[in-house]
Amino acid sequence: MSFRTTATSVDYVEDVSPGSGALPPRAWYASSDAQSLSLNGGWSFRLSPTADAEDDSFAAEGYDAGGWAEVSVPGHWVLQGDGAFGSPIYTNHLYPFPVDPPRVPTENPTGDHLRYFDLPEGWPADGGAVVRFDGVESCARVWLNGTEIGEFKGSRLPHEFTVGHLLKPTDNVLAVRVHQWSAGSYLEDQDQWWLPGIFRDVTLLHRPVGSAVDFFVHASYDHVGSLGTLRVDSDVDGRVLVPALDIDVATGEPVTVAVVPWTAETPKLYDGELVTAGERVPLRIGFRTVALEDGLLKVNGKAILFKGVNRHEWHPVKGRALDVETMREDVLLMKRHNINAVRTSHYPPHPAFLDLCDEYGLWVIDECDLETHGFTEQNWRDNPVDDDRWTPALLDRAARMVERDKNHPSVVIWSLGNEAGTGRGLTAMAEWIHGRDSSRLVHYEGDWNCRDTDIYSRMYAEHAEVERIGQGLDGGTHKRRALPFIQCEYGHAMGNGPGGLADYQRVFEAYERLQGGFIWEWIDHGVTHPKLGFAYGGDFGEELHDGNFVCDGLIFPDRTPSPGLLEFKKVIEPVRIEGDGAGGTVRVRNAFDFADLSSLSFEWSYQVDGKTVEHGPLPVPALAPGESAEVKLPQPPSGGPGGEALWTVRALLAEDTAWGKKDHQVAWAQLPVTERPLPTVVPGDGPTASEKLIYLGPASFDVRTGALKTIGGVDVTGLRLDVWRAPTDNDDGASWQDDTRYGLLWRKYGFHRMQHRLDGVELGEDALTVRTRVAPAAWEIGLRTTYRWTSDGTRLKLTVSVDPEGDWTIPLPRLGIRFGLSSADAVKWYGGGPGEGYPDTKSASMLGRWHSTVDELQTPYVRPQENGARPDVRWAELGGLRVDGDPEFWFTARRWTTEQLDAAEHLTDLRPGDTVWVNLDHGQMGIGSQSCGPGALPQYHLLAEPTEFSFVFSTTE
Ligand code: GAL
């Protein structure tokens, strides 16, 4: 007996097959002469709660959709209509529906879409036409003028249907029914928002008689002879023209000529054309050869080093419906930050993105739209990639990626997908890809034995393990031992961080087998929200969600670079500048793989106490890749003031390029010449007391507690030792991690609720001494803390001595003092800047004189957390006070307390108070990458040990 009562069959939704009716996959190209019509724009839209709530009569000609709403295509309906069309759901790997493949819930939001169109004037009557969908999540059924033409799954892959026989000159109606959930959803469990809709272009393409259909550009490069060989295999015979190379050959015929090769650093493209009887197709040809040779991934005969990022498609308003300008912005930002590679995590991107990678030069790992991560919850039982019934769907996905993208020189590696366990389906995909395209390598991280792959790939491996792999001491299968290694994900950029990038880069550069990696990830997937600023998981009332784990990018949702991106840029800079400033020479090394240094100009400047005394050009030879040279610096400027002196050497773009302006800074270094003289205060008169106050130099203190009250005319509140910071995502670590999640341990041990016991206030001959013990309730650990104040009459010196007591087993978050100022805004400092930096994230911090405001010192992490510390600060001025450090310190100032920062969940929770809270830290704990990977390396741990540090206060008026 059947319970199904509606007229519409929805069996295809839960069918494991990829669909029916679509044309075979082929290269994605825009013809120069065949017509096309974009069907993007406003579409009539109706949302139903289930797949079969409405019958299919809407697809019929003449249907009256007058009462329907409208959505924009490309777009996701859940991000339109102000919540009227449901809302996004964020889960990392948990399926937001019961796992019972291939079944999906009865509640299956289903969007019916209608688009009316006329053919443009002059649309040819001969030939055929196809309608192409570049991306629809997750399953669609399509009708044109009332005739059903097919259904498909494979959200981020193109699907085309023959429609010429159905077209009319006017009043065509394209009907598309889109289901949020389908069998395909089981294959698309990537860590991102679930966002149904027609989110990429829909295009009608005229297909003239004799059009090219599909073609494969083979353009290899023989680096020994500097020769390129071109052969274009085409379904339909024709000619291949490349005027700049004098090439005019038949399709299928190879031709070898002298060429300039394509690399990500030197992206030379030759314009060509494929001419068939029916159309002309523009080609952009890049000659390069990718090979696995001597256990290394080589391009044009050279091993390359990936300095890459994982890029999801993201826009805070439009979700994964990106326009070309946004894609270009991504590429330009990458190029300007020294990034040379992209893994298209975890699906093939909009094809226009790959055009940009060809044009501007980025190595690409093109990844298939496949992830079944949620099956890990059941030990991978019933995993579709190990179940033959699903293999046709997997092969369909592999073919749609490879056929669409095969003509891009930027694509050097095909990736089978992400986090899908292991199984026969993956092997079948790899075999198919190897058979179809032997000119690229195959990647998949999930199989550490490398059974199907050409490269050993891992994610979030610790530094020490990466080093062992580099040394070949990691064991593994016989096959794996002969393969190069990459980290397809590392440096988890969630919130403040990632830390430890410089340490990874050192290891990558030390061992040939290590060919670099890809930071996780490029952009925070925050959703613009009227009340919350940027929303993350849980903000839409999802039943299951993974919070702000979706905000883990190097750029904020609005594409502002985060400190993590600036750090990465510095760590991977393609020119290394080193040396001993006092020695008068600097060693410059070209760390590019292919480009010489002729595109760069160098300059030197000489700073004393952060002020530039003189600067000038530095002639550096156009070193070949890998070469280095000792370059002489000029005579240090004479007669300048004594103080801390250093050289700053910069490498800049010598001319405008496609991606950067002349003088754009590519690399830099600072070379110390003389050390900074430490501030001294010779104690003068000692403290005196009145009934209420103690006086010492410019300062007054509470007579009972010894608490500082004023310095000159400046009121100071609550000055005391501080060890607490609002835990970062990396402090808190990921839920599956072990007992080194310090953010949790700090709370357990009460570092956020330290009590300050007063043990004594002593008025000495030349000093006021306040003795305390700082310790959390319930524990025996504590910090004996002594504040010793002296003054020379105008300046006030505080020396803090800290002696740990008890059994300290974990590092401290921070160690320093904090205090409140009643009015402060403009900030000046001499130290690291201009942005924040922590012990393992301060490579990009440049020593100089900086100025800012309290508000601008804040780094707007989507989920508020510790941020904004300026490292290596010699002195800072704020609110009428100047502080000189002995030694240098970390400087932080904000309009809320650490406790308020800690309690906030969104930036909009942070409300400025009347007091500016200042932290001067002697130490900060490293940041690490434990929100997904390893924590801070031991050398960046802030251990509780006997410590002494001083600050000298004076007023600036
Ligand atoms: C990886 C995964 C990514 C992302 C990341 C954590 O395991 O491949 O998609 O989830 O972890 O942010």
Side-chain angles (χ1 to χ4, degrees), residues 860-877:
Y861 294 115
V862 172
R863 187 190 74 81
Q865 53 196 277
E866 165 65 26
N867 72 85
R870 270 39 179 197
D872 304 316
V873 175
R874 278 72 171 141
W875 56 256
E877 286 181 10

Side-chain angles (χ1 to χ4, degrees), residues 70 134 181 238 261 306 315 422 433 484 565 587 635 650 794:
E70 192 177 287
D134 284 317
W181 309 121
F306 290 122
H315 185 281
T422 53
I433 295 175
L565 180 59
R587 167 171 289 272
Q635 275 302 308
R650 303 167 192 264
T794 48

Side-chain angles (χ1 to χ4, degrees), residues 92 191 346 371 418-419 459-460 489 492 520 549 552 932:
N92 167 9
D191 174 5
H346 298 303
E371 173 158 343
N418 185 57
E419 296 186 313
M459 44 174 81
Y460 311 107
E489 293 178 28
H492 198 249
W520 187 267
F549 201 60
D552 52 1
C932 192

Side-chain angles (χ1 to χ4, degrees), residues 90 92-93 189-192 310 312 343 345-346 367 371 373 418-419 445 459-460 488-489 492 494 520-521 549-550 552 736 931-932:
Y90 167 57
N92 167 9
H93 73 269
D189 190 25
Q190 293 95 344
D191 174 5
Q192 60 179 349
N310 281 278
H312 266 290
R343 172 176 177 233
S345 56
H346 298 303
E367 188 150 277
E371 173 158 343
H373 199 175
N418 185 57
E419 296 186 313
E445 186 274 345
M459 44 174 81
Y460 311 107
C488 69
E489 293 178 28
H492 198 249
M494 185 178 180
W520 187 267
E521 65 176 307
F549 201 60
V550 78
D552 52 1
W736 60 85
S931 54
C932 192

Side-chain angles (χ1 to χ4, degrees), residues 106-172:
T106 303
E107 276 73 43
N108 188 357
T110 292
D112 290 331
H113 297 69
L114 288 172
R115 172 72 151 91
Y116 307 92
F117 63 94
D118 298 337
L119 292 180
E121 285 291 307
W123 187 274
D126 67 325
V130 300
V131 62
R132 182 176 67 206
F133 294 91
D134 284 317
V136 182
E137 181 169 330
S138 84
C139 170
R141 187 174 172 200
V142 189
W143 297 259
L144 183 66
N145 295 332
T147 302
E148 180 167 359
I149 55 177
E151 28 79 23
F152 62 93
K153 308 181 189 83
S155 298
R156 297 103 199 176
L157 293 162
H159 294 83
E160 288 181 310
F161 298 89
T162 304
V163 292
H165 59 296
L166 299 173
L167 285 174
K168 304 183 295 183
T170 57
D171 300 320
N172 293 285

